[in-house]
Amino acid sequence: IKNKDTEECKNVSKKMVNEIIGNGTLTLDLIDLRSYDDYTLAHSVNVAMVCGVMGIGMGLKESQLTKLVQAALLHDLGKLEISQKILNKPERLSKEEYEIMKTHAMKSYEIIVDRWDISPEVKAAVLFHHENVDGSGYPLGIDGSKQTIYTKILHVADVYDALVSKRVYKESYTHETAMQMIMNGECGVFNPVLLQCLKDIATNIPDEIYRGGGKLC
């Protein structure tokens, strides 16, 4: 991800799908993944794992899972082109800074748009991963009727990991608080079926993963 190596991201996504499918219990054992120092990298990998397990829960085929996980690994590439002063600002972003931050979805898309070996579904999911099903998201404000299942799963998984992760500008939320915020619509508008899928998956994660700050891993 740091090197914008989309080919290797494709390879990693396939390996991750094989690992997820090979795990009969589908347990989200993400503890070791948080050993990465770089937040964007760790977040992308964590989101990819959550997406993969949600995709299995939604009955996606292996080829679909690979696209979904690949989109998750690539979705925040654009943040590498945003100033660290904005990415890691300990206070609330100004209106201007927030507008710059919002460009990361388009920037991520622009990095991969000309790659013929990345599917249109992956590119669309990367571009629209901050779109809400009611059309209130960004960058284009499209509603759920124009979003693929990849986009919708990536959106909710992205929000969930962001909530349970500690950042310079916020403490991590507990699993219970994060789920309550998502279910209450405090962090966006999502497909109810996907919310139930996330809730079922997260409920089955061993409690000890959330102890000590509520972090997934």
Side-chain angles (χ1 to χ4, degrees), residues 162-174 212-215:
L163 289 174
V164 297
S165 299
K166 182 177 180 179
R167 300 291 283 124
V168 293
Y169 50 82
K170 79 170 188 67
E171 292 296 321
S172 58
Y173 291 104
T174 64
K215 291 183 289 187

Side-chain angles (χ1 to χ4, degrees), residues 22-36:
N23 184 345
T25 61
L26 300 182
T27 300
L28 276 179
D29 186 9
L30 305 180
I31 297 175
D32 292 337
L33 298 179
R34 193 64 75 182
S35 61
Y36 291 104

Side-chain angles (χ1 to χ4, degrees), residues 98 102 127-143 147 155 188-189:
Y98 181 59
K102 287 169 60 177
L127 177 61
F128 298 134
H129 73 272
H130 279 290
E131 299 283 7
N132 294 313
V133 294
D134 65 350
S136 62
Y138 65 86
L140 301 182
I142 65 170
D143 62 30
Q147 298 174 22
H155 185 196
V189 186

Side-chain angles (χ1 to χ4, degrees), residues 156 159-160 163 178-185 190 195 198:
V156 68
V159 169
Y160 178 74
L163 289 174
M179 286 305 305
Q180 183 177 12
M181 293 172 68
I182 292 174
M183 298 299 288
N184 291 343
F190 308 95
L195 291 184
L198 175 64

